[in-house]
Amino acid sequence: MAETAPPPQPVHDDVPPGADAAPSSDRPDRPAPTVWTRREPLWRHLVGERLRQLRHLRGETLDQTARRAGISPQYLSEIERGVKEPSSEMIAAITGALDITLVDLVSAVADRLVTVRTTLGGPTCRAAFALAA
């Protein structure tokens, strides 16, 4: 008897990084997010993920970092969650507030893309990721 494959999952353009399993909602008043398939993440998700990591490493709140960057805490939160795609000026303001260079951020995100691409399979070219930034 032939085995049947599981039904295909919906494919979305804004797949969060590392999303392999169905996420659950921590709050009962919010529905659980959509189940994501394994796809290469978008640049804005990885930038946001890295900015949040750096802010947490510094032990800062959204308010503290946002104030130094000259943006609202809500906007910084949206950037970190990959909801908003910030302009280069916004990224520069945030990296300045976190005392890192734009090169450091782009390099870390490019490294993460290579790691994800290797995990998903297929050819990788770190230079192409860095140039795309």
Side-chain angles (χ1 to χ4, degrees):
M1 181 194 276
E3 292 184 29
T4 59
Q9 295 294 319
V11 176
H12 300 278
D13 285 337
D14 48 349
V15 177
D20 294 11
S24 63
S25 177
D26 294 338
R27 296 182 49 183
D29 60 328
R30 292 188 182 169
T34 304
V35 175
W36 304 105
T37 59
R38 290 187 64 177
R39 287 185 52 177
E40 193 171 68
L42 296 176
W43 181 257
R44 70 175 183 250
H45 290 134
L46 297 180
V47 167
E49 177 183 86
R50 184 63 184 151
L51 290 173
R52 177 176 280 152
Q53 289 171 348
L54 292 166
R55 181 175 59 79
H56 285 174
L57 285 172
R58 291 174 58 97
E60 293 184 357
T61 65
L62 281 166
D63 288 331
Q64 292 167 325
T65 303
R67 187 178 320 113
R68 279 199 321 283
I71 62 175
S72 73
Q74 294 83 5
Y75 187 56
L76 179 56
S77 174
E78 290 174 337
I79 292 170
E80 287 183 354
R81 290 181 286 129
V83 174
K84 296 287 184 181
E85 182 125 22
S87 68
S88 57
E89 291 85 2
M90 287 294 108
I91 295 173
I94 297 165
T95 57
L98 293 170
D99 295 324
I100 65 163
T101 66
L102 188 55
V103 170
D104 291 336
L105 176 67
V106 170
S107 179
V109 172
D111 288 343
R112 179 77 171 109
L113 273 171
V114 169
T115 301
V116 169
R117 184 70 178 149
T118 302
T119 302
L120 294 176
T124 59
C125 177
R126 186 180 186 284
F129 288 131
L131 290 174

